[in-house]
Amino acid sequence: MDVGPYLPLIAALIALLAGLAIGKAWERYKLRDGRWIDRRKARDSQHYVLGLNFLVSNQIDLAIEELSRAARVDTDALEIHMILGNVYRERGQVSRAIQVHQALLQRPKLTRLEHSYVLLCLGLDYKRGGFVDRSLEAFKEVLRLSPNNHYALLYLQKLHEEQHQWAEAYRIRRQLVDLSGPDTQPRNQAILAFLENALGADALKDNRRADAARHFEAAVHLDSSTTPAYLNLGDVRLLDGDGAGAREAWEQLIEVSPERVHLALERLERLFDQQGVPERFAERCRRFIASRPQDWRARLALGGHLSRSGQPRAALDFLLDALEQNPHGLTVHQAVWTVLLQLDLDRALVQRYIESARDAVFFLDPHVCLKCHYRSTELLWQCPHCHEWNSFVEERMAAARQSFAEL
Ligand SMILES: [Zn+2]
């Protein structure tokens, strides 16, 4: 999967922000020293302005050239060197970035703010280079200098998430929640809920079931739309022999996120089979289909169920309906062929299928991350690329016939 053109730009903007913040602090410092004329020389040089412009337009090589010239005009200009280092990092020249930022740390008379921003840059260099421990250390050092540094907290949280250290990530997220205003509450609650769910999954792996259940319950309490927490909660309850409790959790999932119904249906089918009442599964699917006529997943689940319980004719009806709702779904086509084989490839039925599928266009990876556009064949709860929680949606295409009609 290609990283896409967005990351360097975003990083450059962050570098800019950090640079401007440092610029403010540095201005005071220089004024104290009475050397502000030198500083103006660097800031007023066209190289500095050109460099920043190249940076935001993502012309990295030109940016490096101009910023290097600006840095030569005033070798003291901390912000310019800091941005240069960041640009090296984003270009993949990590050791060079580390060199530049470490050299800045050696400067005498750094203010606390300057010190913490240079450390922040260094932490990002280490992170980019894969030196996780050094990166952690740098971000923690930033927090010792300025305990409420939002960036340091955010990067620390991400680092812990990447290491699957959910408890630490959770603690830091809480800190960020306390620091931010009430307007960010819903988003924060959702992230905390996913971290609770991850903690529960870890507990379940260690077979600490009571702990696990507590985390899953906390997750849905924090944010009632935390879909995987309902799944997991049901799984734990079933492991503890509580079939009714499991069913309750999965029914709640269907209620809060009906578009993910198939996840609950897979489990309900197994549960009803175990309990020797498979007909209740078919009944549940029919009830859902009646309430959401556009849904194809429940039809696919029901079709599969009917086909496995020796009712291929009834199965085919639901599957062809599903196909009409989602002509691009390869799983639906596969299920149809299974059923057609069960029916000895009855010519009339095969004909019916071919007509339903005529205008379908196939695609393989229908799940897409809303934040970074990463594509995935399966539904993921955390994006492996940008690490955002719950950012995947399923891409739906209009039937080919429909889009031709619109042209
Ligand atoms: Zn993403």
Side-chain angles (χ1 to χ4, degrees), residues 369 371-374 383 385-388 391:
C369 171
K371 196 175 167 198
C372 73
H373 306 288
Y374 180 90
C383 177
H385 177 231
C386 71
H387 303 287
E388 186 65 36
S391 58

Side-chain angles (χ1 to χ4, degrees), residues 15-161:
L16 247 181
L17 284 176
L20 294 177
I22 286 282
K24 287 273 180 235
W26 190 59
E27 201 158 41
R28 286 200 295 273
Y29 169 59
K30 288 294 169 185
L31 279 172
R32 275 204 309 274
D33 252 17
R35 285 174 49 209
W36 57 276
I37 293 167
D38 281 346
R39 175 177 160 61
R40 272 225 314 226
K41 202 167 72 184
R43 291 291 295 271
D44 285 352
S45 85
Q46 55 170 348
H47 301 304
Y48 181 72
V49 175
L50 274 175
L52 292 186
N53 279 330
F54 283 133
L55 203 54
V56 280
S57 61
N58 212 13
Q59 292 172 276
I60 303 297
D61 288 339
L62 291 171
I64 286 184
E65 204 172 297
E66 294 300 330
L67 289 172
S68 301
R69 283 186 190 152
R72 277 197 295 275
V73 173
D74 181 356
T75 46
D76 279 352
L78 185 96
E79 76 209 84
I80 301 179
H81 290 275
M82 200 170 66
I83 294 174
L84 251 179
N86 288 350
V87 177
Y88 284 133
R89 178 185 64 239
E90 292 313 316
R91 249 201 356 187
Q93 293 170 277
V94 174
S95 55
R96 191 145 187 198
I98 291 174
Q99 245 172 25
V100 170
H101 290 140
Q102 271 177 343
L104 293 180
L105 275 187
Q106 301 306 314
R107 290 190 176 190
K109 290 192 196 169
L110 283 182
T111 65
R112 184 176 276 256
L113 187 64
E114 288 169 341
H115 192 169
S116 57
Y117 269 105
V118 176
L119 269 171
L120 193 67
C121 294
L122 198 55
L124 289 174
D125 299 340
Y126 288 139
K127 182 171 186 283
R128 179 69 182 266
F131 309 111
V132 176
D133 290 343
R134 283 198 226 170
S135 177
L136 275 175
E137 212 32 67
F139 293 140
K140 283 179 185 165
E141 185 64 32
V142 175
L143 290 176
R144 272 190 285 275
L145 289 165
S146 54
N148 293 342
N149 188 304
H150 190 88
Y151 287 120
L153 286 168
L154 208 59
Y155 290 129
L156 257 182
Q157 181 204 329
K158 292 285 169 202
L159 265 183
H160 284 305
E161 282 184 4

Side-chain angles (χ1 to χ4, degrees), residues 181-245:
D183 48 325
T184 59
Q185 278 302 319
R187 182 83 202 119
N188 275 323
Q189 296 286 88
I191 292 172
L192 286 173
F194 269 92
L195 290 171
E196 281 282 9
N197 179 63
L199 282 166
D202 271 1
L204 191 54
K205 243 182 269 164
D206 300 342
N207 209 26
R208 289 180 283 118
R209 288 186 205 160
D211 264 359
R214 208 163 34 75
H215 283 302
F216 298 138
E217 276 160 11
V220 298
H221 183 71
L222 275 165
D223 178 3
S224 64
S225 67
T226 320
T227 314
Y230 293 104
L231 284 181
N232 293 330
L233 186 56
D235 289 346
V236 178
R237 287 176 178 170
L238 194 59
L239 280 172
D240 283 335
D242 177 11

Side-chain angles (χ1 to χ4, degrees), residues 261-262 264-273 277-287 297-298 300-306 308:
V261 66
H262 58 292
L265 288 181
E266 277 167 23
R267 284 162 164 87
L268 284 172
E269 184 177 17
R270 255 181 287 144
L271 179 68
F272 286 132
D273 273 351
V277 284
E279 66 283 358
R280 288 185 60 188
F281 178 70
E283 180 195 310
R284 182 65 190 93
C285 288
R286 284 200 175 88
R287 201 146 45 83
R297 298 247 191 215
L300 177 63
L302 180 54
H305 174 77
L306 291 172
R308 283 188 294 278

